[in-house]
Amino acid sequence: MSAVPAAPDSSLSIDLQNLPYELDAGMGPRLRIGLIALSGDQTIEEECRRIWDQPGVAHYVTRILHHAGNVNLETLRRMEGGLSDAAALLLPGLRLEVMAFGCTSGSLSIGIPRVHALLRQTRPDIHCTTPMEAGCLALRRLGARRLAFLSPYQDDVNRAMRGYLIEQGFAVPAMASWNIANGGMVNRVTPDTAVQAVRDLCHAAPDTDAVFVSCTALRLVPHIEALEQEIGKPIVTSNQALAWHCLRLGGVEEAVPGFGRLLRLGLV
C-alpha cells in the first residue's frame, strides 16, 4: 500500500526549513570520560561528578550487571563477561579519550590487564584505568609507603586487596573493615561512619603515612579535605583516585581544590 500524502496544513503560516547552523566540538571539547559503573552502585557517579566538573570536561556513564547480594571474589569475577559490551555503549563512534571501570575489588578479581584488554576491544587506543591501579598511582605520587587500609567487604576480598597493595610495594600494617557481604548495604554506610572509621584506624596505627579507603560505593569524597587536616596525613579513596587519574590521563593537569592533597598533584 502506498503512503497517502499528508493534507496541506492551512493553519501553518510560517515554515522555516534548512535553517543555517554552526557546529562546535560538542560537549567535553577538552576531555570526554566514559565510566562503567556497577548496576547497584549509588555513589560513584555523584562523587566523580564533583571532581570532573571542570571547564571543557564531560563524562558519560553506563552500567554493568553485578549481583550485589553477596560480594565475594567469584561474584566479582563474573562481571568479566559483560565488560566489553558495556564499554561498547559509551559514545559508540564518537570521540572518547578515557574509559574507567568503576569497581576496586572487581578490577582486582578480574585482573587489571584483562580489564584493560576488554575495554579496548572496541576502542584499541583509549586510555584505561580502574580504582585499584589509580589508587596505587595516587599513593606513590603522595610518597606513601606505610598504609592504613579501610575496606567494607568480607575478609577474603579485603585480604586479596591488601595482598595486591603489598605486591605493589606498600607496607600495610593496619587494616579495618565492617565485613559487609551485601553490596547494597555498603551504599548505605553513612559518611559519618566512614569518617569515624578513618579516625579510629589512624589512632590505632599512628606510624602509617597515608590512608587508602577502598570501594566506590562509600561516600567520603566531600569529607576528604577536612579529614586530612584533622588526621595529618593524606587520604586516597577509590572514587577520588579514579577521578584524579582520569583527568590526568586526559591531559587535565590543573589542581582541583577541595578534595584532598591528591587533586593538587599531576601524574609526575
Side-chain angles (χ1 to χ4, degrees):
M1 178 183 293
S2 59
V4 177
D9 184 355
S10 59
S11 68
L12 181 64
S13 59
I14 299 173
D15 187 6
L16 302 177
Q17 301 294 327
N18 299 310
L19 290 170
Y21 57 86
E22 296 180 354
L23 300 178
D24 61 16
M27 296 294 292
R30 189 178 182 195
L31 171 62
R32 292 179 180 176
I33 301 167
L35 171 64
I36 300 173
L38 272 57
S39 54
D41 191 328
Q42 303 164 41
T43 306
I44 188 171
E45 290 177 73
E46 170 62 19
E47 293 210 327
C48 287
R49 180 197 62 76
R50 291 171 180 260
I51 295 171
W52 288 338
D53 187 17
Q54 306 301 317
V57 177
H59 69 276
Y60 303 89
V61 182
T62 191
R63 295 270 170 167
I64 186 170
L65 183 62
H66 176 243
H67 299 287
N70 185 19
V71 178
N72 57 53
L73 295 174
E74 178 54 34
T75 60
L76 292 165
R77 276 191 291 267
R78 290 176 193 165
M79 287 188 286
E80 179 179 358
L83 266 176
S84 60
D85 288 342
L89 295 174
L90 286 164
L91 299 189
L94 301 175
R95 178 176 60 83
L96 192 70
E97 284 80 25
V98 179
M99 192 177 293
F101 173 43
C103 185
T104 320
S105 52
S107 58
L108 180 61
S109 298
I110 296 167
I112 291 170
R114 178 63 175 159
V115 170
H116 285 209
L118 290 167
L119 299 185
R120 288 184 173 134
Q121 283 187 354
T122 54
R123 292 184 180 265
D125 299 322
I126 201 164
H127 294 293
C128 299
T129 187
T130 65
M132 181 58 84
E133 66 189 284
C136 289
L137 287 168
L139 290 162
R140 291 192 193 99
R141 189 67 184 86
L142 288 160
R145 291 184 173 85
R146 292 176 58 82
L147 307 181
F149 174 54
L150 176 64
S151 176
Y153 290 126
Q154 298 182 95
D155 198 49
D156 63 333
V157 178
N158 298 335
R159 292 192 184 276
M161 290 192 286
R162 178 178 180 268
Y164 181 81
L165 292 168
I166 292 170
E167 289 175 5
Q168 294 300 303
F170 300 101
V172 191
M175 65 182 291
S177 178
W178 302 284
N179 302 107
I180 299 173
N182 186 296
M185 288 177 60
V186 177
N187 289 280
R188 296 165 53 196
V189 172
T190 67
D192 285 348
T193 297
V195 166
Q196 189 59 49
V198 172
R199 289 187 182 122
D200 292 344
L201 185 56
C202 290
H203 178 75
D207 60 337
T208 54
D209 51 29
V211 182
F212 181 45
V213 183
S214 175
C215 187
T216 60
L218 289 175
R219 291 170 283 166
L220 198 57
V221 159
H223 308 280
I224 292 173
E225 186 92 0
L227 191 53
E228 282 188 338
Q229 294 176 11
E230 178 184 334
I231 67 175
K233 63 184 71 175
I235 298 168
V236 172
T237 77
S238 290
N239 289 335
Q240 172 219 36
L242 187 72
W244 166 79
H245 197 209
C246 286
L247 288 176
R248 300 312 186 236
L249 285 173
V252 177
E253 289 287 344
E254 60 262 37
V256 182
F259 302 103
R261 300 183 198 179
L262 175 62
L263 268 297
R264 299 182 179 92
L265 302 177
L267 272 180
V268 293

